Amino acid sequence: MEELSFHQEDEKLVITNNSTTLFPFVEILLNGQYLGVFSIDKKVSIPLSKTGETSSVLLVGYKTSEEGTHAFNYKHILSNRKDYRKVEVSQNYQPGDVLVACDNVNGLPYGYMGHSAIVVDNENIIEAVITEPIVRKVPIKQLTEFHPIHAHFRPKNAELGKKAASYAERYLQIFKANREKGIDWPYFYFSLKTPLEDEWTYIYCSKLVWLSYHFGANITMENDHLWFAPEDLYTVLSHSQDFDLIYKHPNYQFIIDM
């Protein structure tokens, strides 16, 4: 039996804890929008929209058991409800394309942090995320479905895009080989002291895109201050003569300059 189960009652979603595991800190998002922080002892009830717009519920937080404390996330798709994520998005992708989302699955409302990844073929991206494996190749739709409020950029020079994508592929292979050898670097961390050119100390989503173009295609994206956030990536690409904007969600907006 799953630790958590989901049951719809009228206009409520009831989340039941079926185990002895404790869920003391759980952030709940409806359709990617932040609802609040909850503690799930036995069960918790979440109100749903009466108009049927809510199609997915995401839980992100920590759980505690005899094995220790671990991060977790669950996604639940509601039955008989509209899928608000069916927006008109790009259907054609090329190596080196960059996807930059301004929405989040980590508890923040959209416009504050975001996420980004580099396309390596017409079906897959390579991205850096907070959970292991922190560098991974996943289908493009995994980003577009979890991050519908995103922008899609394409390098005007297709060969440079391929070179950037090739770097990302090599980075992933080295990362996997390091993990097999017991080498923990890089860590997922937003470092202000480590230069962007440092490939193997710390990594995060937009830094991976930066590295791919810096080392793979000899295109160095300028960072204004602090760390190179998804907001910086979007700003740079929006004003770059080397990239075209292929698609942008109508609600796309970054609220703060990271």
Side-chain angles (χ1 to χ4, degrees):
M1 179 180 294
E2 294 288 339
E3 290 179 320
L4 296 177
S5 60
F6 302 82
H7 176 68
Q8 292 176 238
E9 295 180 359
D10 299 323
E11 298 303 325
K12 297 185 298 182
L13 176 68
V14 179
I15 305 173
T16 303
N17 183 358
N18 302 308
S19 68
T20 58
T21 300
L22 302 177
F23 295 84
F25 182 90
V26 181
E27 296 178 301
I28 297 181
L29 296 86
L30 301 181
N31 287 351
Q33 299 300 305
Y34 185 58
L35 183 63
V37 177
F38 298 81
S39 176
I40 304 177
D41 182 13
K42 294 300 182 181
K43 64 176 57 179
V44 64
S45 296
I46 306 299
L48 300 174
S49 168
K50 294 182 179 180
T51 58
E53 288 89 353
T54 305
S55 63
S56 67
V57 179
L58 181 70
L59 281 66
V60 181
Y62 294 91
K63 62 180 182 179
T64 302
S65 66
E66 294 180 353
E67 298 176 352
T69 299
H70 304 281
F72 80 96
N73 65 77
Y74 291 93
K75 184 179 181 183
H76 177 71
I77 303 298
L78 279 65
S79 60
N80 302 319
R81 286 184 170 262
K82 299 175 183 177
D83 186 357
Y84 94 118
R85 295 183 182 276
K86 290 181 179 178
V87 295
E88 183 180 351
V89 299
S90 305
Q91 298 298 317
N92 174 264
Y93 299 93
Q94 296 179 11
D97 285 5
V98 178
L99 302 180
V100 190
C102 69
D103 57 355
N104 308 273
V105 295
N106 62 354
L108 290 171
Y110 82 85
Y112 287 89
M113 182 64 71
H115 183 52
S116 58
I118 183 168
V119 174
V120 292
D121 56 52
N122 64 350
E123 295 183 350
N124 298 290
I125 57 171
I126 290 179
E127 62 180 358
V129 294
I130 196 169
T131 56
E132 288 288 348
I134 62 172
V135 181
R136 63 186 185 179
K137 179 189 286 190
V138 296
I140 294 170
K141 66 179 182 179
Q142 185 162 319
L143 184 147
T144 58
E145 290 179 1
F146 272 83
H147 299 276
I149 309 178
H150 67 270
H152 174 188
F153 293 92
R154 172 167 297 158
K156 293 180 179 180
N157 187 320
E159 290 304 312
L160 293 181
K162 291 178 181 178
K163 290 180 178 179
S166 294
Y167 173 91
E169 291 275 19
R170 291 195 302 272
Y171 191 97
L172 175 61
Q173 294 306 314
I174 295 172
F175 169 83
K176 289 181 176 179
N178 284 346
R179 286 298 195 263
E180 290 176 357
K181 297 174 184 176
I183 301 173
D184 292 333
W185 300 105
Y187 289 147
F188 188 97
Y189 186 68
F190 304 107
S191 172
L192 299 180
K193 296 181 180 180
T194 305
L196 281 170
E197 294 87 348
D198 184 322
E199 299 172 272
W200 296 106
T201 303
Y202 300 119
I203 195 67
Y204 50 85
C205 63
S206 42
K207 179 177 179 179
L208 180 58
V209 177
W210 189 95
L211 289 172
S212 297
Y213 269 95
H214 177 74
F215 289 111
N218 199 30
I219 294 178
T220 301
M221 301 177 190
E222 183 179 357
N223 184 26
D224 52 4
H225 63 279
L226 301 179
W227 51 283
F228 189 72
E231 177 273 327
D232 295 306
L233 179 59
Y234 170 76
T235 300
V236 168
L237 296 182
S238 296
H239 296 91
S240 175
Q241 297 181 353
D242 297 321
F243 289 82
D244 289 322
L245 176 64
I246 304 300
Y247 165 82
K248 184 170 76 171
H249 188 282
N251 294 336
Y252 196 99
Q253 179 187 17
F254 274 108
I255 296 173
I256 60 174
D257 180 359
M258 299 297 289

